[in-house]
């Protein structure tokens, strides 16, 4: 079965600093990969999704970017963090032939 | 624009009680609906997925139903236990999307011993 690894699990960064959150998956090939953000008291917001290496679609205009350098690696980045970037970031996957979405354990980002 | 609503936002019940969590969506053109559980500070765990052509799915003490025409789904938890305490989220996949899930804000459940 597939597994999703996210790191770091927790991160405190100053405003204006760069960001890199990494997601790697195991047990599947050519998955659809997703980055979601969950802000306090709010639902999950889809940020990016990817159907293959180098293929990234953005859902909302924002301070963040995503990259997929390898089939099982999905990276969320920012050049300069804003206070509003604080939140819980979740990586998720869907297997090409499946319907169920599976989530990683998430990364907590606090921008101070 | 599809919107997903979950009511109530929070629920507290004594152990052993049967309970129902509600999820409603504004556009009935969905591909499927998925229920998740989220423990505090953790990721989401998939509980049940119902395809648009299905009426219900069962897993252990959990039963999820779907009434697509009325835009409603329920998650029924039988004989609740303190370990069921968590936030429960529903999400719909629109029929015109191959990738997107639209989430509700969740129901925070507390099962008291």
């Amino acid at each position: 079965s597939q597994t999703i690894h996210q790191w770091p699990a927790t991160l405190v960064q100053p405003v204006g600093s760069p960001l890199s959150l990494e997601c790697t998956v195991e047990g599947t090939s050519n998955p659809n990969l997703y980055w979601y953000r969950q802000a306090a008291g709010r639902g999950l917001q889809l940020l990016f999704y990817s159907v293959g290496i180098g293929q990234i679609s953005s859902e909302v205009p924002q301070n963040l970017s995503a990259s997929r350098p390898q089939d099982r690696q999905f990276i969320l980045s920012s050049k300069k963090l804003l206070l509003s970037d604080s939140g819980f970031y979740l990586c998720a996957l869907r297997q090409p032939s499946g319907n169920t979405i599976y989530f990683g354990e998430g990364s907590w980002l606090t921008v101070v | 624009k599809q919107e997903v609503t979950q009511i109530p936002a929070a629920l507290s019940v004594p152990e052993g009680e049967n309970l129902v969590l509600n999820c409603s969506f504004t556009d009935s053109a969905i591909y499927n609906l998925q229920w998740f559980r989220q423990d505090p500070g953790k990721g989401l765990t998939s509980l049940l997925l119902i395809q648009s052509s299905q009426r219900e799915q069962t897993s252990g003490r959990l039963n999820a139903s779907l009434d697509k025409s009325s835009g409603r789904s329920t998650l029924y938890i039988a004989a609740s236990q303190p370990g069921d305490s968590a936030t429960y989220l529903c999400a719909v996949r629109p029929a015109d999307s191959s990738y997107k899930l639209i989430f509700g804000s969740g129901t925070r459940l507390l099962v008291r011993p």
Side-chain angles (χ1 to χ4, degrees):
Chain A
S1 64
Q2 68 285 321
T3 56
I4 304 173
H5 302 285
Q6 288 189 241
W7 71 87
T10 315
L11 195 59
V12 180
Q13 290 285 95
V15 169
S17 64
L19 170 74
S20 180
L21 298 179
E22 189 160 343
C23 170
T24 58
V25 304
E26 296 176 354
T28 183
S29 295
N30 197 30
N32 293 339
L33 296 176
Y34 307 82
W35 277 112
Y36 281 87
R37 177 170 60 200
Q38 187 176 35
R42 299 178 63 181
L44 275 78
Q45 180 186 34
L46 178 62
L47 302 176
F48 301 95
Y49 80 98
S50 171
V51 298
I53 296 174
Q55 300 179 64
I56 309 294
S57 295
S58 174
E59 278 296 296
V60 294
Q62 59 206 326
N63 187 41
L64 304 169
S65 62
S67 62
R68 187 169 176 177
Q70 301 180 42
D71 181 49
R72 300 173 191 175
Q73 185 183 30
F74 204 23
I75 299 172
L76 183 69
S77 303
S78 174
K79 293 181 179 178
K80 290 185 177 181
L81 284 169
L82 306 172
L83 287 174
S84 58
D85 292 324
S86 294
F88 190 41
Y89 289 83
L90 289 155
C91 179
L93 74 82
R94 182 172 67 87
Q95 296 183 1
S97 58
N99 289 303
T100 302
I101 304 287
Y102 299 95
F103 282 81
E105 285 299 306
S107 294
W108 282 101
L109 170 66
T110 303
V111 182
V112 296
Chain B
K1 177 185 174 184
Q2 177 75 271
E3 293 183 0
V4 181
T5 304
Q6 292 187 246
I7 295 174
L11 183 63
S12 178
V13 300
E15 181 177 5
E17 191 164 300
N18 301 326
L19 59 99
V20 174
L21 306 180
N22 296 296
C23 172
S24 61
F25 45 96
T26 55
D27 188 343
S28 61
I30 66 169
Y31 187 76
N32 59 41
L33 182 146
Q34 198 167 348
W35 281 95
F36 296 88
R37 167 185 173 140
Q38 185 177 29
D39 293 295
K42 300 292 186 180
L44 279 67
T45 300
S46 177
L47 298 174
L48 291 164
L49 181 145
I50 310 178
Q51 297 287 60
S52 61
S53 58
Q54 297 175 322
R55 296 285 293 182
E56 65 178 344
Q57 282 286 324
T58 298
S59 176
R61 294 183 293 109
L62 305 179
N63 176 278
S65 69
L66 175 64
D67 184 343
K68 195 173 68 167
S69 60
S70 67
R72 294 180 183 176
S73 176
T74 62
L75 180 66
Y76 175 83
I77 303 177
S80 59
Q81 303 170 0
D84 295 329
S85 299
T87 296
Y88 291 82
L89 298 115
C90 70
V92 301
R93 180 174 154 188
D96 62 354
S97 171
S98 63
Y99 62 89
K100 180 179 285 192
L101 282 183
I102 300 173
F103 282 83
S105 295
T107 293
R108 192 170 65 253
L109 173 66
L110 173 65
V111 181
R112 307 186 304 272

